[in-house]
Amino acid sequence: MVRTRNAILPDVEQIHAIIRAYSGNGTLLPRTLAELRENVRDFVVAEDNGMIVGCGALHLYGMHLAEIRSIAILPSTKGLGAGRKLVEALLKEADRHQVTCVCLFTRIPEFFAHMGFSLAKRDDLPDKIYKDCVHCPAFNACDEIAMYPRRDSPTQRSARLADTQTAG
């Protein structure tokens, strides 16, 4: 039975190995052990019978935006629902922090579409673009798809909040 939990420092080497399996072909950005140690509090792991089978992280930009990143499952354990459980755990974490918008960038939009995610406009995510993307070698030729889960884009939410404030 797959369950999720917050990652701890002893998990870092296993997280690194899982991410490394997907960074060689460009599916995920490579992460160093030092970077993972520094950011372990962002990670959730999926376990099956005590073995870590997947990982994912929630990067907070502020209460207005968080990004789900580094979702990866051991290839031998795909189909157990670990990916879905990781995403659900990270969305719950975003809710705990009262984040108003969550985004992600992916090369496998079909997986996230099945979970209720929809396409996003990059222009709605300036914090992500100008903090992270500008440093990427593929910045001008990015093949990742931006998506939102069951939430409004920052622009839509801001407009709706403004309408509520002026109406009341």
Side-chain angles (χ1 to χ4, degrees), residues 102-167:
V102 177
C103 71
L104 60 84
F105 285 71
T106 184
R107 290 184 181 87
I108 51 168
E110 305 80 21
F111 169 78
F112 295 101
H114 286 294
M115 293 189 64
F117 284 69
S118 56
L119 298 180
K121 293 184 202 168
R122 291 174 183 272
D123 294 344
D124 286 344
L125 304 166
D127 288 11
K128 163 66 179 166
I129 303 301
Y130 295 112
K131 181 183 179 289
D132 297 324
C133 297
V134 295
H135 304 293
C136 179
F139 178 66
N140 291 317
C142 182
D143 62 348
E144 290 190 315
I145 308 291
M147 300 183 86
Y148 297 123
R150 304 177 288 274
R151 286 181 166 82
D152 297 332
S153 73
T155 304
Q156 291 168 324
R157 182 169 292 279
S158 295
R160 193 174 72 241
L161 289 173
D163 288 345
T164 304
Q165 291 169 353
T166 58

Side-chain angles (χ1 to χ4, degrees), residues 63-80:
M63 288 181 60
H64 67 292
L65 183 65
E67 179 189 11
I68 291 176
R69 37 167 87 166
S70 302
I71 296 288
I73 307 300
L74 287 175
S76 62
T77 61
K78 284 188 178 181
L80 298 177

